[in-house]
Amino acid sequence: MTTTVDWVIEPRPRDLGDFTVRRVLPSGRKSSVGPFVFFDHMGPAEFPPEHGIDVRPHPHINLATVTYLFDGSLMHRDSIGAVQSIEPGAVNWMTAGRGIVHSERSSEQFRAARSSIHGIQSWVALPQAEEECEPRFDHYAASQLPERTIGQITLRQIAGSAFDMTAPVPFSHPIAYTDCNAEVGGTLDIEATYSERALYVVQGSATIAETEYAPGQMLILTAGNSVTITFAERSRAMFVAGEPYAEPRHIWWNFVSSRLERIEQAKQDWRDGRFDSVPGEHEFIPLPD
């Protein structure tokens, strides 16, 4: 029998105070999928009036972040002056490059009534030659993203290329990031286009080779084999894929780099206040001990 799933990553809960996230990548057995080095499932969580999310300003280097929401909203602010409301289905792609600082908070409108939040936060390591590029922020509304329906499955391309779609997000390395919404009985064929591929089950279930997988599981798909996924119930899943880099990536706190000495420099820069600040923000997250 042809192997289709090499292994399953079970997420680890992380308590962030007001809500819990499920940390999928990095895991002990698999640190990345292509250039995707971090993957958190945020929520679903509900907040009473006057409560919400307050992620204080913190730094990043040598990576790109993407916050993709299914429900709720967040206000993004960063040290290059970008201010953007993050809404469901939109792409908010922040390229840290040589260094950027940002915050994500619930808006006052969000806090005025009972509200909820649900989404995925992921990091993509930059190609080595682009690690020290100028920081930038790119926003694409849901209506700007390619979308198509295959049978009973609606696909939206968040980044890279897959399923005959290419997202507008600027990224020079081969990747794919796709939001898959399936009705009952939907079937999706995933070709062996990328060396590393994974499917994360957000809700519902996914069946591969007669094995059913539950929400919160990331399935590492076998390289070189096409895979057929069926959905016996209404489900949502994220397809993540890409080509791995030749050079390993190191991760410490919010810093990702191909060079350990660069991470050490970023630590000292944050301690010494040498990163640019977020306009209008006076709080910050201190460097961990």
Side-chain angles (χ1 to χ4, degrees):
M1 179 181 292
T2 301
T3 303
T4 52
V5 176
D6 282 343
W7 63 83
V8 178
I9 297 176
E10 299 286 351
R12 295 154 292 146
R14 290 288 184 271
D15 188 356
L16 299 185
D18 291 321
F19 68 105
T20 299
V21 300
R22 283 170 275 182
R23 178 72 39 83
V24 183
L25 293 174
S27 75
R29 194 170 182 185
K30 183 74 172 170
S31 61
S32 61
V33 175
F36 288 86
V37 296
F38 180 91
F39 192 98
D40 263 7
H41 185 177
M42 177 176 59
E46 293 191 359
F47 303 96
E50 307 304 322
H51 289 74
I53 293 173
D54 280 297
V55 180
R56 294 169 291 162
H58 58 279
H60 292 287
I61 62 164
N62 294 185
L63 57 80
T65 70
V66 57
T67 300
Y68 185 80
L69 296 182
F70 308 126
D71 184 38
S73 69
L74 286 170
M75 184 61 69
H76 164 97
R77 292 182 174 86
D78 63 40
S79 54
I80 61 173
V83 178
Q84 178 63 54
S85 177
I86 300 175
E87 306 294 340
V91 168
N92 299 273
W93 187 277
M94 186 183 74
T95 302
R98 60 176 174 77
I100 198 168
V101 178
H102 76 129
S103 67
E104 288 183 319
R105 301 180 185 269
S106 299
S107 66
E108 292 305 315
Q109 181 180 359
F110 183 97
R111 297 173 195 270
R114 180 172 293 275
S115 55
S116 59
I117 195 78
H118 189 201
I120 302 291
Q121 292 189 315
S122 54
W123 301 350
V124 184
L126 295 178
Q128 191 176 48
E130 300 172 24
E131 285 184 320
E132 297 297 323
C133 68
E134 289 297 309
R136 60 182 289 174
F137 181 81
D138 295 282
H139 169 78
Y140 298 91
S143 60
Q144 294 177 276
L145 301 181
E147 190 173 289
R148 64 176 299 205
T149 299
I150 299 177
Q152 292 161 287
I153 301 177
T154 299
L155 305 170
R156 177 182 290 137
Q157 198 64 22
I158 301 168
S161 298
F163 309 107
D164 295 323
M165 299 182 293
T166 298
V169 173
F171 196 72
S172 63
H173 192 77
I175 60 170
Y177 191 16
T178 314
D179 181 7
C180 311
N181 271 289
E183 298 296 332
V184 177
T187 299
L188 183 65
D189 293 322
I190 298 179
E191 301 299 327
T193 307
Y194 294 94
S195 299
E196 297 189 354
R197 301 166 299 159
L199 188 81
Y200 179 74
V201 183
V202 176
Q203 61 191 44
S205 64
T207 299
I208 302 176
E210 299 183 354
T211 299
E212 184 175 277
Y213 299 95
Q217 295 182 317
M218 177 173 275
L219 321 176
I220 304 300
L221 306 180
T222 303
N225 293 338
S226 59
V227 178
T228 297
I229 303 165
T230 58
F231 299 94
E233 57 186 307
R234 191 172 183 179
S235 304
R236 191 167 205 160
M238 308 299 281
F239 174 62
V240 179
E243 297 303 318
Y245 292 126
E247 323 83 16
R249 291 304 188 270
H250 308 284
I251 303 177
W252 188 90
W253 192 41
N254 298 312
F255 303 136
V256 172
S257 182
S258 63
R259 297 166 291 146
L260 282 170
E261 66 272 16
R262 181 65 180 90
I263 291 178
E264 292 303 314
Q265 177 192 336
K267 290 181 188 180
Q268 196 60 50
D269 288 344
W270 188 242
R271 285 192 195 100
D272 295 343
R274 287 195 289 265
F275 277 85
D276 292 336
S277 60
V278 178
E281 297 255 16
H282 304 290
E283 297 180 298
F284 65 93
I285 299 177
L287 197 75
D289 295 331

